[in-house]
Amino acid sequence: MIPELNIGRDGAAAADAPWADARQGAPKSLRLILLGLALFAAAILFASSNDRLSRFVEGIVASWTADPVETAKAAKKKAIAKLITETESDSVVPTAEGADAVARNALLPVSTLPVEAARPFLMPTISLAQATNAQRCLTQAIYYEAATESDAGKAAVAQVILNRMKHPAYPNTVCGVIYQGSSRPGCQFSFACDGSMRRPPVPALWRRSAEIARAALSGHVETSVGMATHYHANYVLPRWAPKLTKIEQIGAHIFYRWPGSWGKPGAFSDAYAGAEWIPAFSQLYQGGTAAVEALPGEAIAVEGVPPPRDPTDHRADNDVGGRVDMTKGWVPNIPDPTQSKSRFDSLTNQQGAAATPEIQPGT
């Protein structure tokens, strides 16, 4: 006998209870989903009207979809850009100066990695004017930055300039590297904006600087500083010095390269641009003082065949140190040596000695 299946009112209600909960729960979950979508839409609308929040939301979305490798490259590029900004200006007050700087510079560790020499640079034959400008710029930098340093110290300064010229962080010409930022305080090479070129050069030191410049533009490589792109005198400690890789000290100058791959030979891949241009002296930052023109007759003439006149070059033919702005009414002239007896006697004696033929022994 089949037992009687007695499902009463309560039993029916009990059997139907789970389905009732499901029917009651579905509308509640849907309401939560709709509420979340509404809040998200409101956030998007609000973010679109708020730049800061908009950038924040875009950053979050980008982080979800970005390639990790590309993200790492972007972060590295940003860090390098920050380092360039920190090292490109001399206007920042140094960490230390004087004897304190000398002592603290000595404590900075020298890299134990092998020093990798740069590839030789041979000045291409573009035009005589371009080659002359490049040599003049490099000679100025060597003279005003390292005139009293050894030949190795002079060559190291030239090597830094040529290294920068090949690096993507800097201009791709000799003059472009040397005069970068020269119209404002904090230029790359201090002599270009502190008025140093108002001082006439010492002839012997200028000639030696010119010889070092010619050698550097003809393929000479100063291997001791490798891929160095920075240097400073040992009596100052720039804030950027600990962030770069210290390579060597030659005389009073300490040389550094970029850290990591940016200081390796593979990073120095930019081609020479070949447009050498020297800014007029009046366009250079003068250290907060008015420009002082060179006194007539004090500039030193450079031997050799005069190059074709560059239409943008307004200097006098015998001006090798500074620049002359002809629009200010400066008229080149040579003073009469008889106005100074000592100078007149000196010139006369020199001419007499040069004019007298040398007598060989036994003749």
Side-chain angles (χ1 to χ4, degrees):
M1 181 177 179
I2 300 174
E4 182 179 357
L5 189 59
N6 185 14
I7 302 177
R9 189 177 186 85
D10 294 338
D16 196 41
W19 300 103
D21 288 343
R23 288 192 299 271
Q24 292 175 1
K28 183 177 181 181
S29 300
L30 183 59
R31 285 197 300 270
L32 290 176
I33 293 173
L34 293 176
L35 179 61
L37 291 175
L39 291 175
F40 184 70
I44 293 177
L45 291 174
F46 178 72
S48 63
S49 62
N50 187 294
D51 292 339
R52 181 177 297 179
L53 185 58
S54 178
R55 289 193 297 269
F56 175 73
V57 172
E58 289 175 358
I60 292 177
V61 174
S63 66
W64 291 343
T65 59
D67 182 356
V69 176
E70 294 299 324
T71 301
K73 288 182 179 179
K76 181 179 179 180
K77 187 175 181 180
K78 184 177 181 181
I80 290 174
K82 180 180 179 183
L83 188 57
I84 292 175
T85 302
E86 292 173 348
T87 60
E88 72 176 358
S89 174
D90 291 334
S91 63
V92 179
V93 177
T95 304
E97 295 181 279
D100 183 32
V102 172
R104 294 173 67 174
N105 278 318
L107 295 177
L108 290 176
V110 178
S111 173
T112 58
L113 296 176
V115 177
E116 300 175 278
R119 292 186 293 271
F121 174 72
L122 296 174
M123 184 72 187
T125 305
I126 299 175
S127 70
L128 182 58
Q130 295 290 339
T132 301
N133 283 348
Q135 183 179 322
R136 181 180 295 275
C137 286
L138 192 55
T139 301
Q140 287 175 332
I142 293 170
Y143 178 86
Y144 287 105
E145 292 283 304
T148 58
E149 294 290 311
S150 65
D151 283 355
K154 292 183 178 69
V157 169
Q159 190 64 56
V160 165
I161 292 167
L162 296 183
N163 286 348
R164 285 193 173 199
M165 185 187 67
K166 300 175 186 177
H167 200 278
Y170 301 101
N172 301 132
T173 63
V174 177
C175 295
V177 167
I178 292 170
Y179 284 104
Q180 185 181 11
S182 59
S183 61
R184 56 173 172 76
C187 53
Q188 294 293 296
F189 294 88
S190 57
F191 83 92
C193 65
D194 65 1
S196 293
M197 288 192 292
R198 294 196 297 263
R199 302 193 309 267
V202 177
L205 296 178
W206 176 268
R207 286 193 294 270
R208 188 55 184 156
S209 298
E211 291 170 359
I212 299 293
R214 282 194 294 270
L217 296 175
S218 300
H220 174 77
V221 176
E222 181 55 42
T223 59
S224 62
V225 296
M227 311 307 300
T229 49
H230 297 73
Y231 67 87
H232 65 82
N234 66 338
Y235 49 81
V236 294
L237 176 60
R239 297 182 182 276
W240 49 260
K243 301 178 182 180
L244 301 183
T245 301
K246 183 178 177 181
I247 298 177
E248 180 65 276
Q249 178 169 347
I250 303 177
H253 287 149
I254 304 173
F255 294 85
Y256 303 79
R257 65 168 173 81
W258 288 111
S261 61
W262 254 39
K264 297 292 184 179
F268 296 77
S269 57
D270 277 14
Y272 175 65
E276 300 290 353
W277 178 77
I278 306 176
F281 189 69
S282 59
Q283 295 176 347
L284 303 180
Y285 179 76
Q286 298 297 311
T289 59
V292 178
E293 304 293 355
L295 297 178
E298 289 191 354
I300 307 302
V302 177
E303 298 178 359
V305 179
R309 171 63 64 185
D310 185 342
T312 65
D313 188 1
H314 302 296
R315 60 182 171 78
D317 290 333
N318 66 342
D319 177 24
V320 298
R323 314 298 299 167
V324 177
D325 186 355
M326 301 299 292
T327 63
K328 297 185 181 300
W330 191 89
V331 180
N333 64 84
I334 300 176
D336 185 356
T338 60
Q339 294 176 0
S340 172
K341 188 176 186 305
S342 60
R343 179 178 293 184
F344 178 77
D345 292 340
S346 175
L347 291 174
T348 303
N349 292 335
Q350 291 176 10
Q351 292 170 355
T356 302
E358 183 178 357
I359 300 177
Q360 302 293 333
T363 58

